[in-house]
């Protein structure tokens, strides 16, 4: 065995669960994941929803088998607090970009409150040019940074709540928003400015929550580094199931669980299980458990359970 092969296999300790990081300013989400993985010595890690470098706050870090539940975390509602600056449009819709238009208009509280209801519910939003979405096979932000015109198609998004929190001065306004998957706060700021007859861009953005992951459970990188591999760090480790709170559970027998672990479909026979499966219906996702432990995420198909993500816990 070569030294290179040995190095590839020395990948760390199997740690399973979620850690809520309070991401600092200036750090990319991927680098934040790498830092957490190194501090804990974890074998595998990912995150449950990208935060821009200029954003801070909740970044759920999936460790080990929790990486199999990342898509559910990314689909969860998210809450943000953000500050926008009136009177300037920037090509990135945040403070990093170049000023591309200016306006002397500074809306007051009454004008702002009068338009907020227009942004509640399901609506079409045009993503920022500086985004990770692909256009003709290339990342939009790569095209925009190279000076090419980027016009992304509007996408259907949902905003559940939007509140004006503070007007610290005529140039700035602070808001809190609860939004669904795929909503860009930078685009929301841009659209608020246009609706109010001016321009706007985001100057500060803090994520308050992602589904059940909130700031009250978060730890900073600095504090995590001070705890390192100690038992105290494990206090911040949440269960794999934390991201699956909205998914119904079904308790199986050990024999049925064994078949799921082997990648085989299962048709439970107990009347109570049959009734639950019929109630949920084909296509529903279910957490299959045995002895209180998560075995697999399964799909109901033709009255049976088909494994989608098998957990090795």
């Amino acid at each position: 065995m070569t030294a290179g092969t040995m190095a590839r296999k020395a990948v760390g300790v199997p740690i399973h669960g979620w850690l809520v990081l309070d991401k600092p300013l200036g750090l990319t989400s991927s680098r934040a994941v790498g830092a957490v993985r190194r501090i804990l010595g974890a074998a595998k890690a990912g995150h449950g929803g990208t935060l821009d470098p200029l954003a801070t706050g909740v970044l759920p870090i999936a460790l080990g088998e929790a990486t199999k539940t990342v898509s559910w975390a990314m689909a969860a509602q998210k809450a943000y607090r953000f500050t926008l600056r009136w009177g300037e449009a920037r090509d990135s819709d945040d403070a990093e970009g170049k000023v591309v238009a200016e306006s002397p208009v500074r809306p007051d509280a009454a004008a702002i409150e009068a338009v907020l209801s227009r942004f509640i519910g399901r609506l079409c939003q045009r993503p920022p040019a500086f985004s990770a979405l692909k256009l003709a096979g290339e990342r939009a932000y790569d095209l925009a940074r190279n000076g090419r015109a980027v016009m992304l198609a509007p996408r259907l998004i949902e905003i559940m709540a939007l509140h004006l929190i503070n007007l610290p001065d005529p140039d700035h306004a602070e808001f809190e928003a609860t939004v669904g998957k795929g909503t860009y706060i930078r685009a929301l700021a841009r659209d608020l400015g246009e609706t109010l007859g001016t321009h706007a861009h985001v100057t500060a953005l803090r994520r308050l929550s992602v589904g059940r992951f909130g700031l009250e459970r978060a730890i900073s990188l600095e504090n995590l580094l001070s705890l390192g591999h100690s038992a105290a760090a494990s206090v911040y480790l949440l269960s794999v199931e934390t991201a699956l709170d909205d998914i119904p559970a079904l308790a199986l027998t050990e024999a049925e669980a064994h078949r799921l672990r082997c990648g085989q479909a299962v048709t439970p026979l107990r009347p109570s299980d049959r009734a639950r499966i019929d109630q949920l219906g084909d296509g529903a996702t279910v957490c299959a458990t045995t002895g209180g432990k998560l075995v697999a995420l399964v799909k109901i198909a033709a009255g049976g359970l088909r494994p989608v993500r098998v957990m090795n816990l």
Side-chain angles (χ1 to χ4, degrees):
M1 184 180 290
T2 67
T5 302
M6 291 177 66
R8 285 195 297 271
K9 288 193 174 183
V11 292
V13 178
I15 301 173
H16 307 298
W18 287 89
L19 183 137
V20 185
L21 180 70
D22 186 349
K23 190 189 82 66
L25 188 69
L27 192 67
T28 66
S29 295
S30 59
R31 288 188 176 181
V33 170
V36 169
R37 186 176 60 79
R38 286 191 297 273
I39 291 170
L40 298 179
K44 189 176 183 181
H47 65 73
T50 301
L51 267 182
D52 292 339
L54 287 184
T56 66
V58 170
L59 182 65
I61 307 291
L63 301 165
E65 292 297 277
T67 57
K68 296 177 179 178
T69 69
V70 160
S71 60
W72 283 272
M74 294 181 73
Q77 289 186 13
K78 300 169 182 67
Y80 295 90
R81 181 180 298 125
F82 63 99
T83 301
L84 58 76
R85 188 193 190 284
W86 304 115
E88 284 186 357
R90 301 207 175 200
D91 57 5
S92 62
D93 296 315
D94 63 18
E96 275 196 324
K98 297 177 182 178
V99 177
V100 293
E102 296 183 273
S103 168
V105 176
R106 300 294 186 270
D108 59 19
I112 296 168
E113 293 282 6
V115 305
L116 292 186
S117 62
R118 302 185 197 179
F119 293 90
I120 302 299
R122 295 171 68 84
L123 58 151
C124 285
Q125 183 187 74
R126 177 170 53 85
F130 284 76
S131 68
L133 298 176
K134 287 189 175 182
L135 190 65
E138 296 187 64
R139 297 289 184 187
Y141 54 65
D142 288 330
L143 296 172
R145 285 168 183 158
N146 290 329
R148 294 171 62 180
V150 175
M151 184 60 69
L152 295 166
R155 304 192 308 170
L156 188 64
I157 56 107
E158 186 172 10
I159 299 176
M160 294 79 176
L162 178 61
H163 302 288
L164 175 65
I165 303 301
N166 189 28
L167 287 173
D169 58 60
D171 287 332
H172 297 88
E174 298 172 2
F175 297 84
E176 286 191 4
T178 302
V179 304
K181 181 181 179 181
T183 304
Y184 284 90
I185 298 299
R186 286 179 290 141
L188 174 58
R190 176 201 66 210
D191 294 345
L192 276 167
E194 291 176 357
T195 300
L196 286 160
T198 183
H199 302 295
H201 66 273
V202 171
T203 60
L205 176 62
R206 183 160 177 78
R207 189 152 67 188
L208 308 178
S209 64
V210 176
R212 288 186 62 196
F213 303 109
L215 283 172
E216 71 281 357
R217 296 181 170 186
I219 184 171
S220 68
L221 266 181
E222 183 180 9
N223 287 341
L224 186 63
L225 184 60
S226 69
L227 296 178
H229 292 238
S230 69
S234 65
V235 173
Y236 291 90
L237 191 66
L238 306 175
S239 72
V240 171
E241 295 92 331
T242 306
L244 309 172
D245 192 44
D246 295 332
I247 299 177
L250 187 65
L252 303 180
T253 65
E254 183 55 46
E256 291 165 342
H258 177 73
R259 290 185 62 188
L260 285 178
R261 292 190 187 102
C262 294
Q264 301 174 18
V266 169
T267 302
L269 299 177
R270 290 180 299 194
S272 58
D273 294 339
R274 300 299 317 151
R276 187 75 190 285
I277 289 171
D278 290 343
Q279 179 186 32
L280 294 170
D282 275 6
T285 300
V286 177
C287 292
T289 68
T290 189
K293 182 181 291 187
L294 180 64
V295 174
L297 284 161
V298 300
K299 286 276 190 184
I300 296 177
L305 306 176
R306 178 175 56 83
V308 176
R309 292 284 187 275
V310 176
M311 302 296 167
N312 299 307
L313 297 173

